Amino acid sequence: MAENKSEINTVPPKAENEVSGGSSGKSTVKSSGKPAGKQTKKKSVRRKVNKKKLILLLSLLGVVLLAGLGFAVFAFTGRGSITIGGAIRGYFKSIEDKNVDKYIRICYPSAWSDHYVPRGNDVDLSVLVEAVFARQEGISVKEVNVQREEKLEEVFVKRFHDKIKEIYEVDLGISEVYRVYFTLKVSYIDNGEEVTYDSDTRARYIYKYKGKWYYMADTLLLVDMDLEDQ
């Protein structure tokens, strides 16, 4: 971008003397310039830097940068989501990316996934997740539109808690459960062309554990509670 440059005249203007005669016959001299030999130079003033304030500012900046870095790391490695909508979107994104680790982290707290032994049977959770990916092969979720969030009563929360404990022998302290209604904009490839359509409204369950939201995707649990097709 072109810059407008102004020329700075560094040469001081010459003194111009105007002489006029007064009533007393004496002449008066008016000078529009500075008398020769009496020009003063401007002293450069250096502001003293307050070292304590500078150190404090740099410390605060460091804290902000570390906090931002911590949030970025958590966004990729943390469990659950800070919002209900984020849990739903994270679930479908993990399927689209075929990322087993992301899927487990958005659906299971470590207190559950680290002890995933349903009814005494040693089942590899990652194998079950891979089966979910196989059923969704070729399908891409473009948008998730949450329409309604319905908070369920405490008796329903207790049902979830008791059923998880019965099947997995895990005492998971779920604090809230929501039934969430949403639609999806889905696409797939048909004969080399992308086909996009809007799904019907579906209802799924999102639960809260230790301040984070998780997508309830465990098939054994949902079937046992007759909730799989809701």
Side-chain angles (χ1 to χ4, degrees), residues 99-101 103-104 108 124-134:
N99 191 312
V100 174
D101 185 62
Y103 183 100
I104 292 175
Y108 299 90
D124 189 343
L125 180 56
S126 62
V127 173
L128 298 180
V129 176
E130 291 286 0
V132 174
F133 294 167

Side-chain angles (χ1 to χ4, degrees), residues 134-223:
R135 292 197 298 269
Q136 302 291 332
E137 184 69 33
I139 297 177
S140 175
V141 175
K142 300 295 185 181
E143 294 179 14
V144 178
N145 299 305
V146 176
Q147 297 179 331
R148 182 161 58 94
E149 300 173 358
E150 177 185 339
K151 185 177 181 179
L152 302 183
E153 297 179 358
E154 186 63 30
V155 62
F156 196 89
V157 177
K158 189 176 185 303
R159 280 187 63 199
F160 263 107
H161 172 271
D162 293 347
K163 189 59 67 173
I164 292 172
K165 190 173 182 179
E166 175 190 332
I167 298 175
Y168 297 97
E169 298 181 352
V170 174
D171 191 0
L172 199 66
I174 295 176
S175 59
E176 295 179 68
V177 177
Y178 275 73
R179 182 187 292 115
V180 184
Y181 298 85
F182 59 92
T183 60
L184 303 173
K185 184 177 287 295
V186 182
S187 70
Y188 63 95
I189 303 300
D190 184 24
N191 294 325
E193 294 185 0
E194 185 180 49
V195 178
T196 303
Y197 68 94
D198 294 321
S199 73
D200 295 332
T201 300
R202 59 183 66 189
R204 294 295 184 268
Y205 296 90
I206 311 298
Y207 66 99
K208 194 173 189 179
Y209 173 76
K210 291 189 175 181
K212 304 302 289 294
W213 295 100
Y214 295 83
Y215 189 99
M216 180 61 73
D218 191 77
T219 303
L220 289 175
L221 179 69
L222 295 173
V223 169

Side-chain angles (χ1 to χ4, degrees), residues 52-97:
K52 289 184 178 180
K53 288 184 178 180
L54 181 59
I55 293 173
L56 178 60
L57 179 62
L58 292 175
S59 299
L60 290 174
L61 181 60
V63 170
V64 171
L65 291 175
L66 287 175
L69 178 63
F71 179 80
V73 171
F74 180 81
F76 289 100
T77 63
R79 295 264 179 171
S81 170
I82 59 174
T83 64
I84 291 176
I88 298 173
R89 293 179 181 88
Y91 169 78
F92 288 106
K93 180 63 175 173
S94 70
I95 294 176
E96 184 176 346
D97 295 344

Side-chain angles (χ1 to χ4, degrees), residues 18-80:
E18 294 180 357
V19 181
S20 61
S23 57
S24 60
K26 296 180 180 179
S27 64
T28 59
V29 180
K30 296 179 181 179
S31 175
S32 61
K34 292 182 179 179
K38 292 185 179 181
Q39 296 184 19
T40 58
K41 295 181 180 180
K42 292 183 179 180
K43 296 181 180 179
S44 60
V45 179
R46 295 183 179 178
R47 294 182 178 179
K48 294 182 178 179
V49 178
N50 190 317
K51 292 184 179 181
K52 289 184 178 180
K53 288 184 178 180
L54 181 59
I55 293 173
L56 178 60
L57 179 62
L58 292 175
S59 299
L60 290 174
L61 181 60
V63 170
V64 171
L65 291 175
L66 287 175
L69 178 63
F71 179 80
V73 171
F74 180 81
F76 289 100
T77 63
R79 295 264 179 171

